[in-house]
Amino acid sequence: MDALARSGLAEAVRSGACAIVGLTYRLAEGRVRAIATAGHDAVVRAAAAAYGEAAAAGIDALLDLDPLTLVPARVPSLPDWAAPALHPQVLLRDRRTALPDTAVTHLTTMLAISKPGEVYAGIDVVKDIVDPASLAEWGWSLFLAWQTAGLPAKEDWVLGAQGLIGSDETVRRLAPLIRTWASEDGGHSRAAKALGALAAIGTDIALMALNGFAQKGASKGLRARAGERIAEIAANRGLTSEELADRLVPDLGLAPDGTMTLDYGRRRFIVGFDEQLRPYVADEDGTRRKDLPKPGSTDDQTLAPAAYRRFAALKKDVRIIAGDQIRRLEQAMVMQRRWTAAEFREVFLAHPLLWHLVRRLVWGVYDADGALVNGLRVAEDRTFADVHDDAIELDPQASVGVAHPLDLGDGVPAWSSLLADYEIGQPFPQLDRPTYRLAPEEHDATRLTRFEGVTVPTGKVLGLTNRGWQRGEPQDAGAQGWMTRELPGDRALVVNLDPGLLAGAPTMYPAQKLEAIWINNRPEGNWWSEQHGMVRFGDLDPVTASEILRDLTDLAS
């Protein structure tokens, strides 16, 4: 272990020793046990000895305890709606036998006494012997029963249980409810607990959903809570939140070339993806079909139904993933994010799903000052080529990003022609993206007056959220008096609205007047006040200026 790890371990052991000696800090006890069971038992005991005999004896007693005996003094009674007879069976691994009702009752109690950081050890024992899918379905049935009972707060352990025994299907079902709860009075606590469940499930699908809430949560509080979870997970992996998001995209079982073969026995179908990551099916000879046919009587009765279900699950997962990934790449272009060529290969070129988007975009190599050195595209064989289709070699440390049309300048028509020749459609407007420039008198201005005083439909204001804008924090009576758009450098473009949106009924007012448009030197907004106008519009780089003018032009049109 390195010095930093030893330091952290020593602190955890010291906390654990205090926990035993003082009979407090049960969470610290759990941390020490977790470190020991992760293969560091001898190191933990040695570190404890450095704090004296009492600490060493306390740690020895802690580690020698059977974790199955660690139960709270008061075990909660279970509600009637948790009775095993009301829910699906929990099948064993062989899927031919099931846990008896008494065991299911004990399992329910285990979940009820578990808390974040203090999960009862018996749950892992059960998970080792039961079928994960049936366990997740049983857990979701418990959740639905809790929901039907009115979501009683004293039994919200059901939410935490989803994190302990849930699956990707749990994530798909829970995520829409989190959005609903976050916009309801009194629902924020439930939403926050549910975010913890997503983090605990921990699969790529779960963390993608969690990251989505961090980026586009219905409220600042929800975004902050999800962001904290993502930041914690990223830090544990030695990554930034953005780097973690790069690595969360599941491959969905695709082959390295980005396809999936669906085997019906006597016939096979190949799955591909278009520029919007919509899956399509083709025969083995490449003839595209309208949809995957249902298994027939001459198909293999085991392979064909399994392949049909696999494609249905693929479509469901891609529907969740596609929009976020397309928006993420567009945002990377707008925010001028860069990767090293080595990261670009790892994150994008080697990914069988993202590959379908990457090859449809024009990328750029940038120098240390952020200026474009060369444009490139990714060829079918995953090599790089320039606008003349000549091969390009990249230094592993070269800076690569999605090229903005302003960067490409006069080269845009040539790139457009090249992609047209290859019949390559783009996932979002890149080469045909309208670009804008500030008027000469706007460079020194701190207000963008050309759009002020314009009245627009409220629906168009709300539509800005699809471009990464966020609604202001609710003020008196739930009024949201502004919209903000994140800018590079921890700034925000602020558009003050009149009469403003209502948090619980955003479309109550059919139209909004754009009162003041200015740049805050913090990534947030506030009511129109003397604090506006801290940043000159001329201080923005050309790409950022073009993007905000594009959004506002579309809004006001």
Side-chain angles (χ1 to χ4, degrees):
M1 303 177 76
D2 59 27
L4 181 60
R6 287 181 180 277
S7 174
L9 176 61
E11 175 58 25
V13 170
R14 186 191 66 77
S15 299
C18 291
I20 293 297
V21 175
L23 300 177
T24 56
Y25 307 117
R26 291 190 60 189
L27 182 57
E29 296 175 4
R31 290 171 59 200
V32 173
R33 279 195 297 270
I35 294 170
T37 55
H40 306 300
D41 183 276
V43 179
V44 169
R45 295 180 191 270
Y51 291 95
E53 293 183 4
I59 290 297
D60 286 342
L62 172 64
L63 297 184
D64 292 340
L65 277 175
D66 181 352
L68 295 178
T69 65
L70 300 174
V71 295
R74 181 178 177 277
V75 176
S77 59
L78 299 179
D80 292 342
W81 48 259
L86 301 177
H87 303 285
Q89 289 185 308
V90 180
L91 303 178
L92 299 182
R93 288 275 175 175
D94 61 9
R95 291 192 63 84
R96 292 193 298 269
T97 52
L99 288 180
D101 285 357
T102 51
V104 174
T105 299
H106 292 322
L107 173 58
T108 310
T109 301
M110 294 179 197
L111 295 171
I113 64 175
S114 294
K115 299 176 182 178
E118 294 183 75
V119 178
Y120 181 66
I123 293 175
D124 283 338
V125 176
V126 175
K127 289 169 69 174
D128 283 342
I129 65 172
V130 302
D131 172 64
S134 75
L135 181 62
E137 281 302 307
W138 170 79
W140 187 253
S141 182
L142 271 183
F143 173 87
L144 293 178
W146 175 64
Q147 191 176 40
T148 301
L151 308 171
K154 68 177 182 177
E155 278 125 14
D156 65 0
W157 53 263
V158 173
L159 272 176
Q162 304 308 307
L164 299 176
I165 62 175
S167 63
D168 284 344
E169 187 60 29
T170 306
V171 175
R172 300 181 191 108
R173 293 162 169 170
L174 189 57
L177 293 174
I178 296 174
R179 285 190 285 272
T180 300
W181 293 337
S183 61
E184 292 177 348
D185 290 339
H188 289 274
S189 176
R190 263 197 317 275
K193 284 184 171 64
L195 291 178
L198 296 183
I201 290 174
T203 62
D204 286 347
I205 291 288
L207 297 185
M208 275 187 60
L210 185 62
N211 190 61
F213 285 113
Q215 301 300 316
K216 302 187 302 177
S219 68
K220 184 177 180 180
L222 186 69
R223 292 192 297 273
R225 185 65 65 91
E228 289 168 1
R229 295 276 187 178
I230 285 292
E232 180 181 353
I233 294 167
N236 288 340
R237 301 186 185 186
L239 303 169
T240 67
S241 295
E242 283 187 330
E243 290 169 341
L244 175 64
D246 289 341
R247 291 158 174 80
L248 288 181
V249 188
D251 62 23
L252 302 181
L254 300 177
D257 67 355
T259 65
M260 174 183 286
T261 300
L262 301 173
D263 190 353
Y264 272 34
R266 70 179 184 86
R267 51 182 180 158
R268 291 178 177 83
F269 306 96
I270 308 300
V271 178
F273 298 85
D274 67 12
E275 68 274 10
Q276 296 294 315
L277 286 186
R278 290 182 292 249
Y280 62 82
V281 177
D283 295 329
E284 288 187 279
D285 63 4
T287 303
R288 191 178 295 195
R289 288 176 167 264
K290 290 183 65 175
D291 202 355
L292 179 67
K294 293 182 178 180
S297 58
T298 59
D299 293 315
D300 186 286
Q301 297 304 297
T302 299
L303 293 176
Y308 192 80
R309 290 192 299 270
R310 187 182 182 194
F311 184 59
L314 174 72
K315 289 193 293 184
K316 186 183 297 184
D317 285 338
V318 170
R319 196 177 302 123
I320 296 171
I321 295 168
D324 283 344
Q325 296 310 308
I326 291 171
R327 280 190 294 271
R328 197 165 68 89
L329 284 171
E330 185 173 17
Q331 188 71 358
M333 179 187 73
V334 170
M335 298 297 287
Q336 303 166 74
R337 190 178 171 205
R338 307 289 181 247
W339 294 264
T340 66
E343 291 170 334
F344 178 67
R345 290 181 183 276
E346 174 195 355
V347 171
F348 294 112
L349 261 63
H351 198 287
L353 181 64
L354 292 181
W355 149 251
H356 293 285
L357 299 177
V358 169
R359 70 182 188 85
R360 298 175 184 276
L361 295 170
V362 177
W363 296 77
V365 181
Y366 294 84
D367 64 20
D369 296 323
L372 183 73
V373 175
N374 203 354
L376 63 87
R377 73 178 186 92
V378 182
E380 287 289 337
D381 60 358
R382 286 177 167 79
T383 59
F384 303 123
D386 64 14
V387 71
H388 305 295
D389 245 359
D390 294 330
I392 298 176
E393 293 294 331
L394 291 185
D395 183 282
Q397 294 306 310
S399 179
V400 179
V402 184
H404 192 276
L406 280 180
D407 294 335
L408 297 171
D410 295 338
V412 168
W415 277 112
S416 298
S417 177
L418 180 64
L419 265 59
D421 288 344
Y422 282 104
E423 298 183 337
I424 295 175
Q426 295 202 290
F428 59 82
Q430 183 192 22
L431 296 177
D432 60 350
R433 195 180 194 87
T435 58
Y436 301 85
R437 297 187 185 278
L438 294 167
E441 65 275 9
E442 291 174 333
H443 282 266
D444 287 329
T446 57
R447 294 263 296 277
L448 203 55
T449 57
R450 68 162 113 162
F451 299 103
E452 292 182 359
V454 176
T455 297
V456 301
T458 296
K460 293 190 71 173
V461 174
L462 294 171
L464 289 174
T465 58
N466 295 325
R467 295 189 175 187
W469 289 67
Q470 295 178 350
R471 291 156 59 177
E473 284 303 294
Q475 305 297 304
D476 295 341
Q480 296 172 300
W482 63 87
M483 297 285 292
T484 60
R485 184 188 188 281
E486 182 184 354
L487 302 179
D490 277 339
R491 296 170 173 173
L493 181 70
V494 184
V495 177
N496 293 108
L497 305 171
D498 180 31
L501 309 168
L502 294 183
T507 59
M508 174 174 287
Y509 301 115
Q512 300 287 332
K513 184 169 75 172
L514 312 183
E515 277 205 318
I517 302 171
W518 52 286
I519 300 171
N520 199 353
N521 60 1
R522 300 187 302 277
E524 59 189 25
N526 58 32
W527 287 111
W528 185 91
S529 71
E530 293 302 320
Q531 297 180 30
H532 75 269
M534 296 180 177
V535 180
R536 297 166 59 252
F537 277 86
D539 292 339
L540 301 176
D541 64 84
V543 168
T544 300
S546 178
E547 288 298 315
I548 66 173
L549 290 171
R550 174 178 177 264
D551 286 354
L552 293 171
T553 298
D554 289 349
L555 176 64
S557 63

